Amino acid sequence: SEQHLRHVEKDVLIPKIMREKARERCSEQVQDFTKCCKESGMLMVVKCRKENSALKECLTSYYTDPAFYEECKMEYLKEREEFRKTGIPTKKRLQKLPTSM
């Protein structure tokens, strides 16, 4: 059952890894949107539509990619396995796991 995933792992922890990695891979769009928001102030909703759309499109392309999910799942399983062997979290996200799962 080394590959078995609990509900919280499938629905919370792996998607969290996906969000982190997608934001890294879409960093150009994140920067463009952030810059636009800072420059536009209260008008950002209107002025930053193009940047927001580009960012959403980039992130969604990763969130809906089954291969990307598998990549993140394997990364999670590797971290979990290492934690189970050593008791030492490899990254901060494993330190936040509640023990009552």
Side-chain angles (χ1 to χ4, degrees), residues 2 6 9 13 75-99 101:
E2 206 53 39
R6 296 168 295 176
E9 292 171 317
L13 299 174
E75 181 179 321
Y76 173 77
L77 289 171
K78 187 176 160 197
E79 288 178 11
R80 185 180 77 173
E81 181 184 351
E82 189 64 27
F83 175 74
R84 287 180 176 176
K85 275 192 228 171
T86 65
I88 302 168
T90 54
K91 292 195 177 173
K92 287 180 188 165
R93 61 177 156 249
L94 284 179
Q95 293 170 335
K96 295 176 189 168
L97 276 178
T99 54
M101 285 192 286

PDB file of all heavy atoms in Angstrom, residues 2 6 9 13 75-99 101:
ATOM      1  N   GLU A   2       2.106   1.137  -0.435  1.00  0.00           N
ATOM      2  CA  GLU A   2       3.022   2.279  -0.494  1.00  0.00           C
ATOM      3  C   GLU A   2       2.503   3.351  -1.464  1.00  0.00           C
ATOM      4  O   GLU A   2       2.735   4.526  -1.279  1.00  0.00           O
ATOM      5  CB  GLU A   2       4.405   1.784  -0.933  1.00  0.00           C
ATOM      6  CG  GLU A   2       5.563   2.611  -0.485  1.00  0.00           C
ATOM      7  CD  GLU A   2       5.626   2.898   1.018  1.00  0.00           C
ATOM      8  OE1 GLU A   2       5.313   2.021   1.831  1.00  0.00           O
ATOM      9  OE2 GLU A   2       5.976   4.039   1.367  1.00  0.00           O
ATOM     10  N   ARG A   6      -4.331   8.677   0.651  1.00  0.00           N
ATOM     11  CA  ARG A   6      -5.499   9.044   1.443  1.00  0.00           C
ATOM     12  C   ARG A   6      -6.203  10.215   0.759  1.00  0.00           C
ATOM     13  O   ARG A   6      -5.618  10.914  -0.060  1.00  0.00           O
ATOM     14  CB  ARG A   6      -5.069   9.452   2.857  1.00  0.00           C
ATOM     15  CG  ARG A   6      -4.447   8.293   3.624  1.00  0.00           C
ATOM     16  CD  ARG A   6      -3.777   8.776   4.874  1.00  0.00           C
ATOM     17  NE  ARG A   6      -2.649   9.628   4.466  1.00  0.00           N
ATOM     18  CZ  ARG A   6      -1.873  10.281   5.309  1.00  0.00           C
ATOM     19  NH1 ARG A   6      -2.077  10.219   6.588  1.00  0.00           N
ATOM     20  NH2 ARG A   6      -0.879  11.030   4.877  1.00  0.00           N
ATOM     21  N   GLU A   9      -4.432  13.490   0.875  1.00  0.00           N
ATOM     22  CA  GLU A   9      -3.258  13.547  -0.008  1.00  0.00           C
ATOM     23  C   GLU A   9      -3.688  13.852  -1.441  1.00  0.00           C
ATOM     24  O   GLU A   9      -3.099  14.698  -2.108  1.00  0.00           O
ATOM     25  CB  GLU A   9      -2.485  12.225   0.057  1.00  0.00           C
ATOM     26  CG  GLU A   9      -1.819  12.002   1.397  1.00  0.00           C
ATOM     27  CD  GLU A   9      -1.234  10.621   1.560  1.00  0.00           C
ATOM     28  OE1 GLU A   9      -1.877   9.627   1.182  1.00  0.00           O
ATOM     29  OE2 GLU A   9      -0.107  10.538   2.073  1.00  0.00           O
ATOM     30  N   LEU A  13      -2.938  17.777  -0.530  1.00  0.00           N
ATOM     31  CA  LEU A  13      -1.476  17.865  -0.563  1.00  0.00           C
ATOM     32  C   LEU A  13      -0.893  17.843  -1.973  1.00  0.00           C
ATOM     33  O   LEU A  13      -0.015  18.654  -2.285  1.00  0.00           O
ATOM     34  CB  LEU A  13      -0.868  16.756   0.300  1.00  0.00           C
ATOM     35  CG  LEU A  13      -1.279  16.831   1.777  1.00  0.00           C
ATOM     36  CD1 LEU A  13      -0.762  15.624   2.540  1.00  0.00           C
ATOM     37  CD2 LEU A  13      -0.791  18.116   2.406  1.00  0.00           C
ATOM     38  N   GLU A  75       6.392  13.053  -6.966  1.00  0.00           N
ATOM     39  CA  GLU A  75       7.217  13.880  -6.082  1.00  0.00           C
ATOM     40  C   GLU A  75       6.720  13.758  -4.641  1.00  0.00           C
ATOM     41  O   GLU A  75       7.507  13.598  -3.709  1.00  0.00           O
ATOM     42  CB  GLU A  75       7.176  15.341  -6.532  1.00  0.00           C
ATOM     43  CG  GLU A  75       8.018  16.248  -5.668  1.00  0.00           C
ATOM     44  CD  GLU A  75       7.987  17.697  -6.128  1.00  0.00           C
ATOM     45  OE1 GLU A  75       7.996  17.946  -7.355  1.00  0.00           O
ATOM     46  OE2 GLU A  75       7.957  18.572  -5.248  1.00  0.00           O
ATOM     47  N   TYR A  76       5.400  13.816  -4.468  1.00  0.00           N
ATOM     48  CA  TYR A  76       4.828  13.686  -3.135  1.00  0.00           C
ATOM     49  C   TYR A  76       5.145  12.317  -2.531  1.00  0.00           C
ATOM     50  O   TYR A  76       5.570  12.215  -1.379  1.00  0.00           O
ATOM     51  CB  TYR A  76       3.307  13.902  -3.153  1.00  0.00           C
ATOM     52  CG  TYR A  76       2.708  13.606  -1.807  1.00  0.00           C
ATOM     53  CD1 TYR A  76       2.821  14.525  -0.769  1.00  0.00           C
ATOM     54  CD2 TYR A  76       2.112  12.383  -1.539  1.00  0.00           C
ATOM     55  CE1 TYR A  76       2.332  14.245   0.490  1.00  0.00           C
ATOM     56  CE2 TYR A  76       1.617  12.090  -0.280  1.00  0.00           C
ATOM     57  CZ  TYR A  76       1.740  13.022   0.726  1.00  0.00           C
ATOM     58  OH  TYR A  76       1.272  12.726   1.977  1.00  0.00           O
ATOM     59  N   LEU A  77       4.953  11.249  -3.324  1.00  0.00           N
ATOM     60  CA  LEU A  77       5.205   9.894  -2.822  1.00  0.00           C
ATOM     61  C   LEU A  77       6.667   9.705  -2.440  1.00  0.00           C
ATOM     62  O   LEU A  77       6.977   9.054  -1.438  1.00  0.00           O
ATOM     63  CB  LEU A  77       4.780   8.852  -3.863  1.00  0.00           C
ATOM     64  CG  LEU A  77       3.268   8.710  -4.056  1.00  0.00           C
ATOM     65  CD1 LEU A  77       2.970   7.818  -5.256  1.00  0.00           C
ATOM     66  CD2 LEU A  77       2.608   8.166  -2.794  1.00  0.00           C
ATOM     67  N   LYS A  78       7.552  10.292  -3.214  1.00  0.00           N
ATOM     68  CA  LYS A  78       8.984  10.210  -2.919  1.00  0.00           C
ATOM     69  C   LYS A  78       9.288  10.909  -1.586  1.00  0.00           C
ATOM     70  O   LYS A  78      10.022  10.377  -0.748  1.00  0.00           O
ATOM     71  CB  LYS A  78       9.774  10.854  -4.061  1.00  0.00           C
ATOM     72  CG  LYS A  78      11.256  10.697  -3.977  1.00  0.00           C
ATOM     73  CD  LYS A  78      11.904  11.290  -5.221  1.00  0.00           C
ATOM     74  CE  LYS A  78      13.353  11.579  -4.954  1.00  0.00           C
ATOM     75  NZ  LYS A  78      13.927  12.477  -5.923  1.00  0.00           N
ATOM     76  N   GLU A  79       8.712  12.098  -1.394  1.00  0.00           N
ATOM     77  CA  GLU A  79       8.910  12.834  -0.144  1.00  0.00           C
ATOM     78  C   GLU A  79       8.316  12.060   1.034  1.00  0.00           C
ATOM     79  O   GLU A  79       8.923  11.986   2.103  1.00  0.00           O
ATOM     80  CB  GLU A  79       8.249  14.214  -0.221  1.00  0.00           C
ATOM     81  CG  GLU A  79       8.971  15.174  -1.116  1.00  0.00           C
ATOM     82  CD  GLU A  79       8.255  16.523  -1.209  1.00  0.00           C
ATOM     83  OE1 GLU A  79       7.315  16.788  -0.416  1.00  0.00           O
ATOM     84  OE2 GLU A  79       8.642  17.305  -2.084  1.00  0.00           O
ATOM     85  N   ARG A  80       7.135  11.486   0.823  1.00  0.00           N
ATOM     86  CA  ARG A  80       6.468  10.730   1.892  1.00  0.00           C
ATOM     87  C   ARG A  80       7.288   9.501   2.276  1.00  0.00           C
ATOM     88  O   ARG A  80       7.474   9.204   3.460  1.00  0.00           O
ATOM     89  CB  ARG A  80       5.069  10.319   1.442  1.00  0.00           C
ATOM     90  CG  ARG A  80       4.260   9.627   2.543  1.00  0.00           C
ATOM     91  CD  ARG A  80       2.886   9.242   2.074  1.00  0.00           C
ATOM     92  NE  ARG A  80       2.964   8.051   1.237  1.00  0.00           N
ATOM     93  CZ  ARG A  80       1.904   7.392   0.784  1.00  0.00           C
ATOM     94  NH1 ARG A  80       0.695   7.830   1.044  1.00  0.00           N
ATOM     95  NH2 ARG A  80       2.049   6.331   0.034  1.00  0.00           N
ATOM     96  N   GLU A  81       7.800   8.811   1.261  1.00  0.00           N
ATOM     97  CA  GLU A  81       8.615   7.620   1.511  1.00  0.00           C
ATOM     98  C   GLU A  81       9.883   7.981   2.292  1.00  0.00           C
ATOM     99  O   GLU A  81      10.255   7.304   3.253  1.00  0.00           O
ATOM    100  CB  GLU A  81       8.994   6.956   0.182  1.00  0.00           C
ATOM    101  CG  GLU A  81       9.813   5.706   0.327  1.00  0.00           C
ATOM    102  CD  GLU A  81      10.242   5.124  -1.014  1.00  0.00           C
ATOM    103  OE1 GLU A  81       9.767   5.600  -2.061  1.00  0.00           O
ATOM    104  OE2 GLU A  81      11.073   4.211  -1.009  1.00  0.00           O
ATOM    105  N   GLU A  82      10.520   9.064   1.883  1.00  0.00           N
ATOM    106  CA  GLU A  82      11.735   9.518   2.565  1.00  0.00           C
ATOM    107  C   GLU A  82      11.422   9.889   4.020  1.00  0.00           C
ATOM    108  O   GLU A  82      12.174   9.548   4.932  1.00  0.00           O
ATOM    109  CB  GLU A  82      12.319  10.726   1.816  1.00  0.00           C
ATOM    110  CG  GLU A  82      13.679  11.154   2.289  1.00  0.00           C
ATOM    111  CD  GLU A  82      14.772  10.112   2.080  1.00  0.00           C
ATOM    112  OE1 GLU A  82      14.666   9.282   1.150  1.00  0.00           O
ATOM    113  OE2 GLU A  82      15.736  10.119   2.861  1.00  0.00           O
ATOM    114  N   PHE A  83      10.294  10.555   4.227  1.00  0.00           N
ATOM    115  CA  PHE A  83       9.890  10.929   5.579  1.00  0.00           C
ATOM    116  C   PHE A  83       9.640   9.685   6.434  1.00  0.00           C
ATOM    117  O   PHE A  83      10.039   9.627   7.601  1.00  0.00           O
ATOM    118  CB  PHE A  83       8.638  11.801   5.541  1.00  0.00           C
ATOM    119  CG  PHE A  83       8.103  12.127   6.905  1.00  0.00           C
ATOM    120  CD1 PHE A  83       8.737  13.048   7.709  1.00  0.00           C
ATOM    121  CD2 PHE A  83       6.961  11.496   7.388  1.00  0.00           C
ATOM    122  CE1 PHE A  83       8.254  13.354   8.973  1.00  0.00           C
ATOM    123  CE2 PHE A  83       6.464  11.799   8.649  1.00  0.00           C
ATOM    124  CZ  PHE A  83       7.119  12.723   9.441  1.00  0.00           C
ATOM    125  N   ARG A  84       8.985   8.684   5.845  1.00  0.00           N
ATOM    126  CA  ARG A  84       8.686   7.466   6.597  1.00  0.00           C
ATOM    127  C   ARG A  84       9.959   6.701   6.968  1.00  0.00           C
ATOM    128  O   ARG A  84      10.016   6.068   8.006  1.00  0.00           O
ATOM    129  CB  ARG A  84       7.735   6.570   5.806  1.00  0.00           C
ATOM    130  CG  ARG A  84       6.322   7.132   5.785  1.00  0.00           C
ATOM    131  CD  ARG A  84       5.380   6.271   5.005  1.00  0.00           C
ATOM    132  NE  ARG A  84       4.015   6.802   5.090  1.00  0.00           N
ATOM    133  CZ  ARG A  84       2.991   6.293   4.431  1.00  0.00           C
ATOM    134  NH1 ARG A  84       3.146   5.253   3.645  1.00  0.00           N
ATOM    135  NH2 ARG A  84       1.801   6.836   4.568  1.00  0.00           N
ATOM    136  N   LYS A  85      10.962   6.765   6.101  1.00  0.00           N
ATOM    137  CA  LYS A  85      12.244   6.088   6.377  1.00  0.00           C
ATOM    138  C   LYS A  85      13.035   6.806   7.455  1.00  0.00           C
ATOM    139  O   LYS A  85      13.578   6.177   8.346  1.00  0.00           O
ATOM    140  CB  LYS A  85      13.109   6.038   5.107  1.00  0.00           C
ATOM    141  CG  LYS A  85      12.817   4.895   4.193  1.00  0.00           C
ATOM    142  CD  LYS A  85      13.915   4.802   3.152  1.00  0.00           C
ATOM    143  CE  LYS A  85      13.321   4.662   1.784  1.00  0.00           C
ATOM    144  NZ  LYS A  85      14.299   4.772   0.717  1.00  0.00           N
ATOM    145  N   THR A  86      13.118   8.126   7.333  1.00  0.00           N
ATOM    146  CA  THR A  86      14.034   8.884   8.183  1.00  0.00           C
ATOM    147  C   THR A  86      13.351   9.618   9.327  1.00  0.00           C
ATOM    148  O   THR A  86      14.000   9.934  10.316  1.00  0.00           O
ATOM    149  CB  THR A  86      14.789   9.936   7.346  1.00  0.00           C
ATOM    150  OG1 THR A  86      13.841  10.895   6.850  1.00  0.00           O
ATOM    151  CG2 THR A  86      15.539   9.309   6.198  1.00  0.00           C
ATOM    152  N   GLY A  87      12.070   9.927   9.164  1.00  0.00           N
ATOM    153  CA  GLY A  87      11.382  10.740  10.152  1.00  0.00           C
ATOM    154  C   GLY A  87      11.705  12.217  10.017  1.00  0.00           C
ATOM    155  O   GLY A  87      11.259  13.049  10.794  1.00  0.00           O
ATOM    156  N   ILE A  88      12.481  12.553   8.989  1.00  0.00           N
ATOM    157  CA  ILE A  88      12.882  13.943   8.758  1.00  0.00           C
ATOM    158  C   ILE A  88      12.141  14.468   7.528  1.00  0.00           C
ATOM    159  O   ILE A  88      12.298  13.931   6.437  1.00  0.00           O
ATOM    160  CB  ILE A  88      14.405  14.053   8.525  1.00  0.00           C
ATOM    161  CG1 ILE A  88      15.155  13.494   9.735  1.00  0.00           C
ATOM    162  CG2 ILE A  88      14.808  15.499   8.244  1.00  0.00           C
ATOM    163  CD1 ILE A  88      16.632  13.291   9.487  1.00  0.00           C
ATOM    164  N   PRO A  89      11.339  15.517   7.698  1.00  0.00           N
ATOM    165  CA  PRO A  89      10.636  16.082   6.531  1.00  0.00           C
ATOM    166  C   PRO A  89      11.640  16.647   5.526  1.00  0.00           C
ATOM    167  O   PRO A  89      12.605  17.299   5.913  1.00  0.00           O
ATOM    168  CB  PRO A  89       9.797  17.202   7.122  1.00  0.00           C
ATOM    169  CG  PRO A  89       9.805  16.991   8.592  1.00  0.00           C
ATOM    170  CD  PRO A  89      11.022  16.202   8.926  1.00  0.00           C
ATOM    171  N   THR A  90      11.402  16.370   4.237  1.00  0.00           N
ATOM    172  CA  THR A  90      12.304  16.885   3.212  1.00  0.00           C
ATOM    173  C   THR A  90      11.985  18.328   2.876  1.00  0.00           C
ATOM    174  O   THR A  90      12.836  19.060   2.430  1.00  0.00           O
ATOM    175  CB  THR A  90      12.226  16.042   1.922  1.00  0.00           C
ATOM    176  OG1 THR A  90      10.863  15.972   1.510  1.00  0.00           O
ATOM    177  CG2 THR A  90      12.769  14.650   2.141  1.00  0.00           C
ATOM    178  N   LYS A  91      10.732  18.715   3.060  1.00  0.00           N
ATOM    179  CA  LYS A  91      10.325  20.092   2.767  1.00  0.00           C
ATOM    180  C   LYS A  91       9.345  20.558   3.812  1.00  0.00           C
ATOM    181  O   LYS A  91       8.777  19.756   4.554  1.00  0.00           O
ATOM    182  CB  LYS A  91       9.666  20.165   1.380  1.00  0.00           C
ATOM    183  CG  LYS A  91      10.652  19.899   0.261  1.00  0.00           C
ATOM    184  CD  LYS A  91      10.081  20.320  -1.061  1.00  0.00           C
ATOM    185  CE  LYS A  91      11.142  20.097  -2.133  1.00  0.00           C
ATOM    186  NZ  LYS A  91      10.653  20.306  -3.439  1.00  0.00           N
ATOM    187  N   LYS A  92       9.091  21.841   3.842  1.00  0.00           N
ATOM    188  CA  LYS A  92       8.194  22.430   4.833  1.00  0.00           C
ATOM    189  C   LYS A  92       6.793  21.831   4.763  1.00  0.00           C
ATOM    190  O   LYS A  92       6.143  21.679   5.771  1.00  0.00           O
ATOM    191  CB  LYS A  92       8.110  23.936   4.643  1.00  0.00           C
ATOM    192  CG  LYS A  92       9.353  24.644   5.077  1.00  0.00           C
ATOM    193  CD  LYS A  92       9.216  26.129   4.868  1.00  0.00           C
ATOM    194  CE  LYS A  92      10.548  26.794   5.119  1.00  0.00           C
ATOM    195  NZ  LYS A  92      10.592  28.132   4.614  1.00  0.00           N
ATOM    196  N   ARG A  93       6.321  21.487   3.560  1.00  0.00           N
ATOM    197  CA  ARG A  93       4.932  21.040   3.447  1.00  0.00           C
ATOM    198  C   ARG A  93       4.691  19.744   4.220  1.00  0.00           C
ATOM    199  O   ARG A  93       3.613  19.508   4.688  1.00  0.00           O
ATOM    200  CB  ARG A  93       4.488  20.930   2.007  1.00  0.00           C
ATOM    201  CG  ARG A  93       5.230  19.961   1.164  1.00  0.00           C
ATOM    202  CD  ARG A  93       4.602  19.933  -0.249  1.00  0.00           C
ATOM    203  NE  ARG A  93       5.591  19.480  -1.201  1.00  0.00           N
ATOM    204  CZ  ARG A  93       6.135  20.229  -2.129  1.00  0.00           C
ATOM    205  NH1 ARG A  93       5.778  21.468  -2.280  1.00  0.00           N
ATOM    206  NH2 ARG A  93       7.034  19.741  -2.949  1.00  0.00           N
ATOM    207  N   LEU A  94       5.711  18.886   4.363  1.00  0.00           N
ATOM    208  CA  LEU A  94       5.516  17.664   5.130  1.00  0.00           C
ATOM    209  C   LEU A  94       5.462  17.955   6.627  1.00  0.00           C
ATOM    210  O   LEU A  94       4.852  17.209   7.369  1.00  0.00           O
ATOM    211  CB  LEU A  94       6.646  16.658   4.844  1.00  0.00           C
ATOM    212  CG  LEU A  94       6.555  15.943   3.513  1.00  0.00           C
ATOM    213  CD1 LEU A  94       7.736  15.002   3.330  1.00  0.00           C
ATOM    214  CD2 LEU A  94       5.268  15.153   3.394  1.00  0.00           C
ATOM    215  N   GLN A  95       6.057  19.017   7.057  1.00  0.00           N
ATOM    216  CA  GLN A  95       6.038  19.362   8.470  1.00  0.00           C
ATOM    217  C   GLN A  95       4.639  19.776   8.907  1.00  0.00           C
ATOM    218  O   GLN A  95       4.305  19.694  10.076  1.00  0.00           O
ATOM    219  CB  GLN A  95       7.007  20.506   8.765  1.00  0.00           C
ATOM    220  CG  GLN A  95       8.454  20.093   8.567  1.00  0.00           C
ATOM    221  CD  GLN A  95       9.391  21.289   8.633  1.00  0.00           C
ATOM    222  OE1 GLN A  95       9.000  22.417   8.380  1.00  0.00           O
ATOM    223  NE2 GLN A  95      10.643  21.030   8.967  1.00  0.00           N
ATOM    224  N   LYS A  96       3.817  20.206   7.976  1.00  0.00           N
ATOM    225  CA  LYS A  96       2.481  20.706   8.305  1.00  0.00           C
ATOM    226  C   LYS A  96       1.437  19.595   8.334  1.00  0.00           C
ATOM    227  O   LYS A  96       0.283  19.864   8.588  1.00  0.00           O
ATOM    228  CB  LYS A  96       2.076  21.770   7.286  1.00  0.00           C
ATOM    229  CG  LYS A  96       2.947  23.008   7.348  1.00  0.00           C
ATOM    230  CD  LYS A  96       2.546  23.972   6.263  1.00  0.00           C
ATOM    231  CE  LYS A  96       3.563  25.104   6.183  1.00  0.00           C
ATOM    232  NZ  LYS A  96       3.400  25.903   5.013  1.00  0.00           N
ATOM    233  N   LEU A  97       1.819  18.358   8.051  1.00  0.00           N
ATOM    234  CA  LEU A  97       0.852  17.264   8.041  1.00  0.00           C
ATOM    235  C   LEU A  97       0.299  17.023   9.437  1.00  0.00           C
ATOM    236  O   LEU A  97       1.054  16.772  10.370  1.00  0.00           O
ATOM    237  CB  LEU A  97       1.526  15.963   7.576  1.00  0.00           C
ATOM    238  CG  LEU A  97       1.644  15.736   6.099  1.00  0.00           C
ATOM    239  CD1 LEU A  97       2.372  14.431   5.833  1.00  0.00           C
ATOM    240  CD2 LEU A  97       0.292  15.684   5.444  1.00  0.00           C
ATOM    241  N   PRO A  98      -1.007  17.064   9.599  1.00  0.00           N
ATOM    242  CA  PRO A  98      -1.568  16.743  10.902  1.00  0.00           C
ATOM    243  C   PRO A  98      -1.400  15.244  11.173  1.00  0.00           C
ATOM    244  O   PRO A  98      -1.427  14.435  10.269  1.00  0.00           O
ATOM    245  CB  PRO A  98      -3.060  17.083  10.754  1.00  0.00           C
ATOM    246  CG  PRO A  98      -3.239  17.671   9.418  1.00  0.00           C
ATOM    247  CD  PRO A  98      -1.987  17.520   8.647  1.00  0.00           C
ATOM    248  N   THR A  99      -1.245  14.897  12.420  1.00  0.00           N
ATOM    249  CA  THR A  99      -1.020  13.486  12.763  1.00  0.00           C
ATOM    250  C   THR A  99      -2.315  12.708  12.835  1.00  0.00           C
ATOM    251  O   THR A  99      -2.287  11.488  12.887  1.00  0.00           O
ATOM    252  CB  THR A  99      -0.288  13.377  14.111  1.00  0.00           C
ATOM    253  OG1 THR A  99      -1.029  14.117  15.069  1.00  0.00           O
ATOM    254  CG2 THR A  99       1.121  13.913  14.000  1.00  0.00           C
ATOM    255  N   MET A 101      -4.576  12.158  10.597  1.00  0.00           N
ATOM    256  CA  MET A 101      -5.153  11.753   9.314  1.00  0.00           C
ATOM    257  C   MET A 101      -5.342  10.279   9.286  1.00  0.00           C
ATOM    258  O   MET A 101      -4.935   9.371   9.218  1.00  0.00           O
ATOM    259  CB  MET A 101      -4.279  12.209   8.163  1.00  0.00           C
ATOM    260  CG  MET A 101      -4.432  13.660   7.936  1.00  0.00           C
ATOM    261  SD  MET A 101      -3.698  14.219   6.404  1.00  0.00           S
ATOM    262  CE  MET A 101      -1.994  14.164   6.762  1.00  0.00           C
TER     263      MET A 101
END
